[in-house]
Amino acid sequence: MSLLPESASFEELVQDYYLAVRGAGLMLSALDTQLVTAWAQEGVPFEVVARGISRSAEKALWDARPGEPVLRSLRACRRQVETEIRKYRDLSAGQGEEAAPTVKKKAARSWEEVRHARLCAALRALTEREAALAPRVHRLLDTVLACVPREPAAMDQQEAWALLVLLRALPFPERRTVWRDARTGEQQLMTARARRVSRRFRLQAAVRRRLDMKET
């Protein structure tokens, strides 16, 4: 999700991603830095925190005024990020538990399995709303989404690829509208790396908005 070197710290990854999604700023405030440090101590993958940030930003994106940042501070993402952290830790703990031999218990699903199942369910629901996309969705389910990723970064990549395929399946006038929506509010005072991350976030948000797939 980030374009920083692999050697970058958790804190650097979170700051880089937040500022890119926010679309403005060069560094975090002291309070936001403390929050990132607390999240780092949770011991969860960066992608879990990034998902909380992106979900918070996506909800705020369509209400933001032209020229103003999507998020005013990282603290605005706190509730959503900590919800994602809790989900990840609960699911990870569930996977580590072994049921008693005499008790038949359904195996706990991983964080990636839950996300994968929700994405597949959202795509199947999409075919009921937009029959023209059904062939492309079924092909996605049989190919790109045929296997459940084993790590958060791979799940992010799988979801991003699915959204890109759906975007390409739309008629050209609609694709052009989605691309225009994704570029609205783009900040000029950003590094090239941050601009790429920001554009990718906004494009995925615009595709989900067009397809009414906000809860994936």
Side-chain angles (χ1 to χ4, degrees):
M1 196 174 278
S2 171
L3 298 177
L4 287 176
E6 293 183 3
S7 59
S9 68
F10 178 92
E11 290 86 349
E12 289 172 330
L13 290 171
V14 172
Q15 173 174 300
D16 176 71
Y17 185 73
Y18 163 71
L19 293 176
V21 168
R22 183 175 187 261
L26 298 175
M27 60 186 299
L28 300 180
S29 68
L31 290 176
D32 282 348
T33 299
Q34 292 176 8
L35 190 57
V36 175
T37 300
W39 290 339
Q41 294 171 352
E42 294 284 350
V44 301
F46 153 72
E47 289 82 7
V48 175
V49 172
R51 177 169 170 79
I53 293 172
S54 63
R55 287 173 68 88
S56 296
E58 191 168 328
K59 290 177 181 178
L61 179 62
W62 311 112
D63 295 325
R65 296 178 180 177
E68 73 175 10
V70 174
L71 296 167
R72 294 188 178 278
S73 71
L74 186 59
R75 296 187 301 282
C77 307
R78 182 171 186 168
R79 178 178 298 179
Q80 189 66 57
V81 168
E82 293 182 353
T83 294
E84 291 297 328
I85 290 175
R86 184 169 59 253
K87 288 179 183 177
Y88 182 84
R89 296 185 69 176
D90 288 348
L91 291 168
S92 297
Q95 276 205 308
E97 295 175 356
E98 295 184 0
T102 57
V103 178
K104 292 184 179 180
K105 183 179 180 182
K106 185 178 180 180
R109 294 190 299 175
S110 67
W111 190 73
E112 294 82 5
E113 287 172 325
V114 171
R115 282 189 58 188
H116 182 270
R118 291 188 64 176
L119 176 58
C120 290
L123 289 171
R124 293 188 181 98
L126 175 62
T127 64
E128 299 177 3
R129 298 192 304 272
E130 302 200 32
L133 293 177
R136 192 64 59 92
V137 169
H138 293 315
R139 195 172 304 122
L140 276 172
L141 292 172
D142 291 339
T143 55
V144 175
L145 300 173
C147 298
V148 180
R150 294 182 177 273
E151 57 183 19
M155 183 66 239
D156 286 342
Q157 186 61 43
Q158 190 181 75
E159 183 173 351
W161 180 250
L163 291 173
L164 182 59
V165 169
L166 291 174
L167 172 61
R168 289 175 175 172
L170 294 174
F172 175 72
E174 293 191 43
R175 291 203 305 272
R176 184 172 56 188
T177 298
V178 170
W179 276 102
R180 185 172 61 245
D181 289 345
R183 296 179 70 96
T184 299
E186 187 173 286
Q187 302 293 315
Q188 297 301 316
L189 299 178
M190 299 173 66
T191 65
R193 181 187 66 239
R195 190 174 294 112
R196 287 194 294 271
V197 174
S198 179
R199 286 177 177 173
R200 182 168 52 189
F201 158 71
R202 287 175 178 269
L203 180 60
Q204 291 182 28
V207 173
R208 275 193 288 267
R209 181 180 175 89
R210 160 61 184 82
L211 301 176
D212 194 21
M213 291 177 55
K214 298 177 184 178
E215 295 300 324
T216 59

